Amino acid sequence: QRNIIYLFLFMGILWLSGIVSSVFAPHDPIGIHLLERLSSPDHTYFFGTDELGRDIFSRVLVGFSSTIKVSIMTLFSSFLIGVVFGSIAGAFYGTLIDRVFNWIAAMLFSLPFLLIIAAVMSLMDKNLFNTYLVMTLIIWVSPARIVRAGVIKAKSSPFVLTERAMGMGEWQILLRSMIPTSIQPAFIFSFRYFPEIIGMEAGLSFLGLGIQPPHPGLGKMIFDSINYLYSAWWYAFFPAFFLFAVVFASNIFYRYVVDKSEKRFLEV
């Protein structure tokens, strides 16, 4: 239980930092000032400006906010979908419903997530909501498989057998006992993919399939800065550093706070 609290605390801090960063942007992130294009970092523009004179510091803060919000919403939405589908598959273990679930999960799990999402996004309107929607509908597989395994295991556990002997219905037992025992390890395992979700959001933005100009996205800023790597180092460095920092922090958090707990659950 303590690790779950740490998880939610970490996510809450990230969410709050995303909100605060966009609110306290010192300049208009889409404001164009051609006379100040590619200005190096100074006391006015802390991270310098881009090829249109836009403040990179403000754009990084707003882009960071978008990345954090989309990634956290994707993580929780995919987890909830995984709980629903995984619990249904586990409840109908061995039936056609379970076999269809396994077929869909195996197909999605065997393909690179980013390529699937990029292919689907190429057929849809390119905006932040569609990015979130498509990522959610792809990433639910991992928590669903953990929940399914937990429900199947719980079916033969003593407390479930006791509840069944007391006359409780199967759906009541599923909702009251089997799903709750499976949620914690599933959520802990899902958080393992949080850095990957952040990377996918930035990757879609880099490919032009995520947040669209003139609104800033960390991946899109890195892509736009490629032609200025030698003449304006700050253009690529600061968006890349913020992206690296949040991915690195998430990985470190998972490794030292969650990893031991996950191993314990998987060994049970």
Side-chain angles (χ1 to χ4, degrees):
Q1 296 294 335
R2 182 179 301 176
N3 288 326
I4 292 293
I5 295 175
Y6 289 154
L7 263 177
F8 277 95
L9 181 62
F10 180 79
M11 305 291 276
I13 292 174
L14 279 182
W15 183 270
L16 182 62
S17 65
I19 295 175
V20 171
S21 63
S22 61
V23 171
F24 287 94
H27 299 281
D28 182 1
I30 61 175
I32 297 175
H33 308 280
L34 293 178
L35 296 179
E36 299 174 341
R37 62 187 303 269
L38 297 178
S39 297
S40 59
D42 57 25
H43 64 280
T44 302
Y45 301 109
F46 302 139
F47 291 175
T49 61
D50 62 11
E51 75 278 14
L52 297 178
R54 296 173 296 192
D55 178 36
I56 293 178
F57 180 64
S58 298
R59 291 178 64 80
V60 165
L61 292 180
V62 175
F64 171 79
S65 175
S66 300
T67 296
I68 291 299
K69 291 177 182 178
V70 169
S71 299
I72 292 179
M73 290 173 60
T74 298
L75 178 67
F76 279 98
S77 299
S78 61
F79 171 73
L80 292 177
I81 293 175
V83 169
V84 173
F85 288 169
S87 59
I88 292 176
F92 292 94
Y93 174 65
T95 65
L96 178 62
I97 294 177
D98 186 42
R99 289 194 292 270
V100 171
F101 167 84
N102 284 329
W103 181 81
I104 295 175
M107 180 187 66
L108 293 177
F109 202 76
S110 63
L111 298 174
F113 285 162
L114 184 58
L115 293 182
I116 300 176
I117 296 173
V120 175
M121 285 296 300
S122 65
L123 304 175
M124 303 174 64
D125 292 335
K126 282 73 174 177
N127 56 57
L128 203 58
F129 176 77
N130 284 341
T131 302
Y132 152 73
L133 180 63
V134 173
M135 290 174 63
T136 298
L137 295 178
I138 297 295
I139 301 173
W140 61 269
V141 175
S142 294
R145 297 176 80 174
I146 299 297
V147 171
R148 173 184 174 272
V151 170
I152 293 173
K153 182 179 179 180
K155 275 187 171 185
S156 58
S157 60
F159 66 90
V160 170
L161 295 176
T162 301
E163 291 177 344
R164 191 175 289 126
M166 294 173 61
M168 294 180 60
E170 291 298 323
W171 285 104
Q172 185 179 3
I173 296 174
L174 177 66
L175 296 174
R176 179 178 176 178
S177 301
M178 288 193 270
I179 293 180
T181 59
S182 307
I183 286 181
Q184 184 173 349
F187 187 75
I188 290 175
F189 187 83
S190 294
F191 186 81
R192 183 177 186 176
Y193 289 92
F194 183 63
E196 186 175 345
I197 293 173
I198 296 173
M200 283 192 290
E201 191 281 332
L204 291 173
S205 178
F206 182 89
L207 296 173
L209 300 174
I211 191 169
Q212 295 297 299
H215 303 289
L218 295 180
K220 181 61 176 173
M221 293 179 66
I222 295 173
F223 176 82
D224 292 338
S225 67
I226 291 177
N227 295 327
Y228 305 96
L229 290 177
Y230 297 103
S231 59
W233 60 268
W234 56 88
Y235 194 175
F237 174 79
F238 291 111
F241 176 79
F242 266 67
L243 184 62
F244 165 80
V246 67
V247 171
F248 180 77
S250 300
N251 275 314
I252 291 297
F253 178 82
Y254 179 83
R255 179 177 179 181
Y256 290 103
V257 178
V258 181
D259 192 47
K260 292 183 180 179
S261 177
E262 181 198 1
K263 290 180 179 179
R264 184 174 67 251
F265 280 120
L266 295 178
E267 291 172 356
V268 173

